[in-house]
Amino acid sequence: MLRSLVGSEMCIRDSLESVLRSNIAVTEDQAKDAFVSMDKDGNGAVDYHEWLDSLDMHRLAESKSSVYMRTSFLSSAELDQLYNMTRRADLLGEYAAARKINLMVDAEQTYMQPAIDQQVLQMQRIHNKEEGYIYNTYQCYLRDAFPRVAVDFLRAEREGFKFAAKLVRGAYMFQERDRAKELGYKDPVHADLDATHRNYDAVVARLISMVPRTGCRLMIASHNEVSINKAVQLLREHQIENDVFFGQLLGMCDHVSYMLGSHGLKAYKYVPYGPVNEVMPYLIRRAEENSDMLGGATREIQLTWNELKRRHFG
């Protein structure tokens, strides 16, 4: 399905017929101008990437629909918030890239993720031309994670900037399912934990295989020992042990972090901080995300104790 979607194109005739059949208040000349602006390579056809790239967050926010609405989708105050957010994000991206610091933008619920993706994409286009400093985050408990990664990777190759991704399993399962049920659309989350594990491992394997050829950047943010062991094996097979990062939350799976570090792999500990009323919900989501791991807490305590003794007594 992904291959047919990415490889498909729409010619100007099909585009005009589609627009004119709709209820959108636009003239034929305006439709032609819009098509030409999307046809970046001038081949007389618009493919999936060109169509996606035509979607500008600010233009969409300011646009007005003569079909359903007579006002902007966002109010003036909301537009001001949008511009302030993008300005601040651009400053952060500029600051990070100038100092060669990796900036990883977290993922959120599916109903706000497209806007985040658009913002990160604009930052990557500017700051990832030589090295991948700006990372987008992909939640692999979502059914569309693999095709989204594939589409974004192809876009980066096509436009000549470095793809950079942080891979997580996901933290909003209950919210996503409740919202899908309430609004009557298909649950975006995989049906069970095993399906999520398979999807996560498949995305990791795909991107690791691309590192030697493209120099893409990858952060494997996981507390799952099985997934981490599979990833380490793939890194050794491709001889790129120093080109990929691992990340775990401080206090979770510390023994895995110790193991990665002792073998010369790049392991980072993520330290959340802030007011208790804001940090606790975050930590609860992390616990839900790693529910399969929590059953091994006793084992982790013993392993951590062994590590402390090793460091103290040698």
Side-chain angles (χ1 to χ4, degrees), residues 93-312:
E94 181 180 352
Y95 187 93
R99 291 158 180 79
K100 299 183 178 181
I101 297 171
N102 295 326
L103 179 63
M104 300 181 183
V105 182
D106 274 343
E108 298 295 338
Q109 294 91 338
T110 53
Y111 56 82
M112 67 174 73
Q113 191 59 44
I116 297 172
D117 290 343
Q118 180 69 17
Q119 177 62 39
V120 176
L121 173 61
Q122 298 302 329
M123 295 165 68
Q124 290 178 329
R125 284 171 168 159
I126 297 170
H127 303 300
N128 283 14
K129 293 179 179 178
E130 296 181 4
E131 296 291 338
Y133 296 118
I134 311 300
Y135 288 63
N136 202 1
T137 299
Y138 298 88
Q139 301 184 98
C140 294
Y141 73 160
L142 296 175
R143 300 174 192 268
D144 68 350
F146 194 100
R148 281 184 55 233
V149 168
V151 167
D152 291 352
F153 188 93
L154 288 172
R155 181 195 289 113
E157 280 201 303
R158 178 173 175 167
E159 297 188 18
F161 63 86
K162 295 293 185 182
F163 180 83
K166 181 176 80 168
L167 301 181
V168 301
R169 276 173 166 76
Y172 301 101
M173 181 177 67
F174 298 114
Q175 293 180 32
E176 294 286 2
R177 286 181 168 159
D178 288 345
R179 190 169 190 269
K181 184 177 180 180
E182 178 184 352
L183 299 180
Y185 60 83
K186 184 178 180 180
D187 182 357
V189 178
H190 278 292
D192 54 51
L193 188 58
D194 287 340
T196 294
H197 290 334
R198 289 193 297 270
N199 193 46
Y200 189 91
D201 294 341
V203 176
V204 168
R206 178 68 173 270
L207 290 180
I208 286 177
S209 71
M210 296 296 183
V211 171
R213 179 175 65 83
T214 67
C216 66
R217 307 292 291 275
L218 175 60
M219 161 66 82
I220 301 172
S222 175
H223 301 93
N224 185 281
E225 290 185 56
V226 175
S227 291
I228 291 171
N229 287 334
K230 288 180 179 178
V232 170
Q233 181 60 36
L234 289 171
L235 294 178
R236 288 171 175 164
E237 290 176 6
H238 291 280
Q239 299 181 342
I240 53 171
E241 291 97 325
N242 295 321
D243 297 331
V244 171
F245 308 111
F246 292 87
Q248 288 93 36
L249 188 67
L250 181 65
M252 276 192 179
C253 265
D254 289 341
H255 64 284
V256 173
S257 307
Y258 299 148
M259 179 273 293
L260 292 169
S262 67
H263 287 82
L265 296 161
K266 296 179 178 178
Y268 292 82
K269 298 302 288 186
Y270 181 53
V271 185
Y273 66 93
V276 173
N277 64 320
E278 294 181 10
V279 172
M280 286 307 297
Y282 173 87
L283 293 175
I284 290 171
R285 291 198 299 271
R286 296 286 82 75
E288 292 172 347
E289 181 182 7
N290 297 282
S291 58
D292 62 324
M293 180 205 74
L294 296 180
T298 302
R299 174 172 173 267
E300 181 172 357
I301 292 172
Q302 183 60 51
L303 290 170
T304 303
W305 177 242
N306 291 342
E307 176 65 19
L308 288 173
K309 288 191 293 183
R310 184 193 66 80
R311 292 188 181 193
H312 184 73

Side-chain angles (χ1 to χ4, degrees), residues 60-65 69-76 78-79:
L60 287 173
E62 295 173 345
S63 65
K64 298 178 182 179
S65 167
M69 306 175 70
R70 297 291 176 181
T71 59
S72 169
F73 290 118
L74 296 181
S75 67
S76 296
E78 289 170 334
L79 285 171

